Amino acid sequence: MKKLLFLSLLVIGTNQLKADDYLYLTFTNTDGTERSLSVDGLRITFENGEIKANANEEALNIALADVAKMYFSNTRAETTGISDMEVNNEGVTVYTTSGMFVGHFKNAIQAHNKLDKGLYVIKTNGRTYKMAVK
């Protein structure tokens, strides 16, 4: 019995050391977006059906139903979700979601006004956005 207890503690201790080697804890949502938090100072709580994670100055609240997976990593995941696009007079290039070129426009507002209803991929200033035209 003592051997089993010792072996169990050894395995648990080894697993703890492996988790300490990683730099980030990454959460993947059911929609495919990812967000990473540093493991340095990481604190996780489960409350009212949500995961609340805090690390230094960063905070993340995700509904448990929206979490597809979470894992430790040595690289920070980039957010791949939809973000707000700054509207300026920079030219934009528009593609369909299947990657077909639609056209070049003076800015995002002009593109929005001239496109048919649907979902589009907009590239401007080295960034990529999704735009829905209703």
Side-chain angles (χ1 to χ4, degrees), residues 26-34 51 62-71:
T26 300
F27 296 87
T28 304
N29 290 352
T30 54
D31 66 1
T33 59
E34 291 188 329
I51 295 177
I62 305 174
L64 284 171
D66 293 338
V67 177
K69 66 180 176 178
M70 59 186 208
Y71 59 93

Side-chain angles (χ1 to χ4, degrees), residues 90-133:
E90 298 291 328
V92 297
T93 306
V94 180
Y95 299 90
T96 65
T97 55
S98 61
M100 293 182 58
F101 174 78
V102 175
H104 294 288
F105 297 90
K106 178 179 162 187
N107 57 39
I109 293 172
Q110 182 189 40
H112 186 273
N113 291 337
K114 293 191 176 196
L115 294 170
D116 294 331
K117 291 181 182 181
L119 188 62
Y120 297 91
V121 176
I122 309 293
K123 290 191 176 193
T124 182
N125 291 334
R127 305 247 357 232
T128 303
Y129 302 91
K130 296 175 189 173
M131 180 172 69
V133 178

Side-chain angles (χ1 to χ4, degrees), residues 20-61:
D20 289 341
D21 291 340
Y22 292 105
L23 300 174
Y24 302 100
L25 177 62
T26 300
F27 296 87
T28 304
N29 290 352
T30 54
D31 66 1
T33 59
E34 291 188 329
R35 173 103 186 266
S36 295
L37 293 176
S38 172
V39 296
D40 196 30
L42 180 63
R43 181 180 171 157
I44 300 174
T45 57
F46 297 89
E47 185 178 307
N48 298 325
E50 285 189 333
I51 295 177
K52 297 183 179 199
N54 296 298
N56 300 325
E57 300 291 318
E58 298 177 283
L60 177 65
N61 294 342

Side-chain angles (χ1 to χ4, degrees), residues 60-95:
L60 177 65
N61 294 342
I62 305 174
L64 284 171
D66 293 338
V67 177
K69 66 180 176 178
M70 59 186 208
Y71 59 93
F72 290 99
S73 174
N74 283 322
T75 57
R76 180 180 283 273
E78 295 292 323
T79 302
T80 58
I82 298 173
S83 59
D84 292 332
M85 179 171 49
E86 293 178 22
V87 177
N88 52 36
N89 285 327
E90 298 291 328
V92 297
T93 306
V94 180
Y95 299 90

